[in-house]
Amino acid sequence: MTDAGKPKYFTLMEQLKAEIISGEIRPGEKLPSENELTRTYSLSRHTVRKALGILEQQGYVEAFHGKGTFCSENMRHTRKSKNIAVVTTYISDYIFPRLIQGIDNVLSENGYSIILKNTGNSRQKEAKCLEELLKKDIDGLIIEPSKSQLACRHTNLYKNLEQYQIPYIFIQGIYTEMLDKPHILMDDARGGYLVTKYLLDLGCKRIAGFFKADDMQGMERHKGYVWALQEAGASYNPEDVVWFHTEDRKTKPSMMAKLMAQGGKLPDGIVCYNDQIAVQVMEALESLGIRIPEDISVTGYDNSLYARRGSGITTIAHPQEKLGEMAAELILEKLNGISEEDSRVERMIQPELIVRGSCAQKK
C-alpha cells in the first residue's frame, strides 16, 4: 500500500494513465520497459505488470511480444482535434468540388479543418480510408458511402467510430443495414418520377431508362421511373432498361444506346442516371446521325456543368454546395450533442426539374 492507502499497482496505473491523457505519452509511443518502471518507481516486476495489464484492458496501451508496450493509437480520439474527415466517392470532378466547398465553408467558420479522402466508389478503398482515419485525430466524419445499394462489409469499422465516440453522418446514400444512422438524402425516387413524367407529358410513348445498379441513387431513380410509367398507364418493358455498374459506367451506356439505335429499337425518350451518362448517350446517338431533341429526347440528373453546355440538358437540380453546408451543420449538431428530435437540419431534399434543350414536344 502507498501512503494514500491505494495499492502500489493502482497508483502506478493512474500515473501512467494521466500521462497518456495529458499527451505527455503520445499515441504510438513506446512506454518505458518493465525494468525501467521497476527501477524508476522502486516497485516489484509483478506490481508493474499488474498496472500495465489494467491499462491494456482499458484500451490505453497495447503490448506486443518482443517489442514492448505502446500507447494505443485509439487514444488519439480522447482529445478534440478540430478536424472533420470528409470521405466522398470522387473529389476533383462533377458535383464534388462544390459539395466539398459547402462543407468547408461552414466548418471553417466554426474553427474546424477538413481531412479529405475519396474512395473511387470502391468498398475496399472505403474500408481502408476508415482504417486510416481511426488512427488520425478526427472529431467527426461526413461520408458518402461506396456502392450503397450493396451490403456493407465493414460495419465493424463504423462500430469502432461509435466506440471512440466519433459521430458520423452519411450523405447521398446510406447502407440498408444502417438506416438508423444520421443521413441526408435527396428524394431520388421523386426526381426519377419528375423527368419521366416530363417526357410522357411531351408525348413520348416509349421511354428507356439507364440506371446505375450498385448505388442507392440508381435504384431510387429507377423506382421513380417505374412510378411515372404506371401512373400514366404506360407499360414497363425490362428490355428498355439498361443497368450498369461503377466499373463499366464509362462504356456500357454509350454501347447500349448504339445497340438500341442499330437494332431498330430506339425509344422516344431516355431517362439517364445522371448528366454524365446523358452526355455519353447523346454523343453515341449523334455519332449515328440521330438528332437530339428532334428524333429523341434525353434527360439527365444533378444539374452539373455537363447539363449547362450548349442548349443544355433537361435535368434535376442538385443542391451541391447547399448539401455540403447541410452536412457540415448536421455533424456540428452531433458534436454539440443535439438530438435527432431537436435537429434543425433537413434530412430529405426535394428535387426540382430544370428544362433545357435536350427534350422536345413530339409531333
Side-chain angles (χ1 to χ4, degrees):
M1 288 286 183
T2 63
D3 293 339
K6 296 180 180 178
K8 291 181 180 181
Y9 73 84
F10 189 83
T11 300
L12 175 60
M13 181 272 293
E14 284 191 323
Q15 172 66 30
L16 294 173
K17 183 189 293 187
E19 292 177 11
I20 290 171
I21 292 174
S22 68
E24 188 175 344
I25 299 176
R26 298 182 299 277
E29 183 178 341
K30 186 177 181 180
L31 273 66
S33 67
E34 291 182 3
N35 287 335
E36 290 172 322
L37 291 171
T38 297
R39 290 195 301 268
T40 301
Y41 293 96
S42 301
L43 298 171
S44 69
R45 199 179 185 93
H46 174 75
T47 299
V48 168
R49 284 180 177 173
K50 194 167 184 179
L52 293 176
I54 294 173
L55 289 173
E56 186 173 14
Q57 288 176 357
Q58 295 179 351
Y60 288 93
V61 302
E62 295 176 285
F64 298 94
H65 184 68
K67 293 183 178 181
T69 301
F70 296 79
C71 178
S72 173
E73 289 286 350
N74 298 335
M75 295 313 299
R76 294 186 185 277
H77 309 303
T78 61
R79 296 180 298 278
K80 296 302 179 183
S81 65
K82 303 298 283 188
N83 291 326
I84 301 295
V86 177
V87 179
T88 58
T89 51
Y90 303 99
I91 289 180
S92 60
D93 62 357
Y94 203 52
I95 64 172
F96 298 99
R98 290 189 62 192
L99 172 66
I100 294 164
Q101 183 62 53
I103 293 173
D104 189 53
N105 287 343
V106 173
L107 292 181
S108 60
E109 286 178 4
N110 287 271
Y112 285 87
S113 299
I114 65 174
I115 297 175
L116 192 58
K117 290 185 174 290
N118 79 94
T119 64
N121 206 30
S122 161
R123 291 186 295 167
Q124 184 177 359
K125 289 183 179 179
E126 179 179 308
K128 186 177 180 180
C129 281
L130 292 176
E131 288 171 353
E132 292 175 356
L133 290 170
L134 283 164
K135 297 177 182 178
K136 293 184 180 293
D137 295 325
I138 62 169
D139 294 348
L141 168 67
I142 298 170
I143 185 165
E144 178 193 20
S146 300
K147 297 186 177 179
S148 54
Q149 186 58 30
L150 306 181
C152 180
R153 297 183 294 190
H154 46 269
T155 54
N156 61 304
L157 296 175
Y158 287 103
K159 290 178 181 177
N160 286 345
L161 288 168
E162 295 168 14
Q163 179 184 342
Y164 305 144
Q165 298 184 324
I166 300 173
Y168 60 90
I169 67 167
F170 291 103
I171 58 171
Q172 302 215 109
I174 186 168
Y175 296 114
T176 303
E177 60 269 53
M178 302 178 76
L179 289 173
D180 60 328
K181 305 304 178 186
H183 56 274
I184 301 175
L185 305 176
M186 192 166 185
D187 190 343
D188 285 305
R190 176 71 180 171
Y193 167 84
L194 288 176
V195 287
T196 308
K197 184 178 186 302
Y198 180 69
L199 293 179
L200 289 164
D201 290 344
L202 289 177
C204 294
K205 301 298 183 184
R206 180 166 159 249
I207 301 172
F210 287 54
F211 301 104
K212 195 159 179 281
D214 54 17
D215 67 31
M216 173 183 280
Q217 295 101 309
M219 299 303 291
E220 289 296 307
R221 292 167 194 179
H222 171 262
K223 187 185 296 183
Y225 162 81
V226 175
W227 170 20
L229 292 178
Q230 290 178 336
E231 183 181 81
S235 61
Y236 175 86
N237 184 352
E239 292 185 359
D240 288 336
V241 177
V242 173
W243 291 103
F244 60 93
H245 296 78
T246 297
E247 291 75 15
D248 60 9
R249 71 189 187 282
K250 294 182 179 180
T251 56
K252 188 173 181 180
S254 57
M255 177 186 71
M256 294 304 296
K258 286 183 177 180
L259 288 175
M260 280 183 174
Q262 292 167 343
K265 298 180 179 180
L266 193 68
D268 300 318
I270 299 178
V271 171
C272 294
Y273 165 76
N274 65 15
D275 298 334
Q276 285 179 320
I277 301 304
V279 169
Q280 278 190 50
V281 168
M282 291 165 67
E283 289 179 346
L285 295 177
E286 287 171 340
S287 72
L288 299 177
I290 296 167
R291 300 170 301 164
I292 297 165
E294 292 83 359
D295 299 326
I296 184 171
S297 294
V298 179
T299 66
Y301 204 108
D302 288 334
N303 194 29
S304 67
L305 292 176
Y306 291 96
R308 305 173 201 179
R309 297 172 181 170
S311 60
I313 300 173
T314 295
T315 187
I316 294 293
H318 188 292
Q320 299 178 21
E321 192 167 331
K322 177 61 178 176
L323 173 58
E325 292 171 354
M326 293 166 64
E329 289 165 359
L330 182 55
I331 198 65
L332 289 174
E333 283 189 353
K334 297 304 174 186
L335 288 166
N336 292 323
I338 297 175
S339 67
E340 290 287 303
E341 295 76 15
D342 295 328
S343 174
R344 296 185 178 183
V345 179
E346 185 181 358
R347 304 304 175 87
M348 183 65 76
I349 301 169
Q350 292 305 312
E352 174 191 352
L353 179 69
I354 297 178
V355 176
R356 294 198 179 97
S358 63
C359 300
Q361 185 76 41
K362 292 297 173 185
K363 297 178 182 179

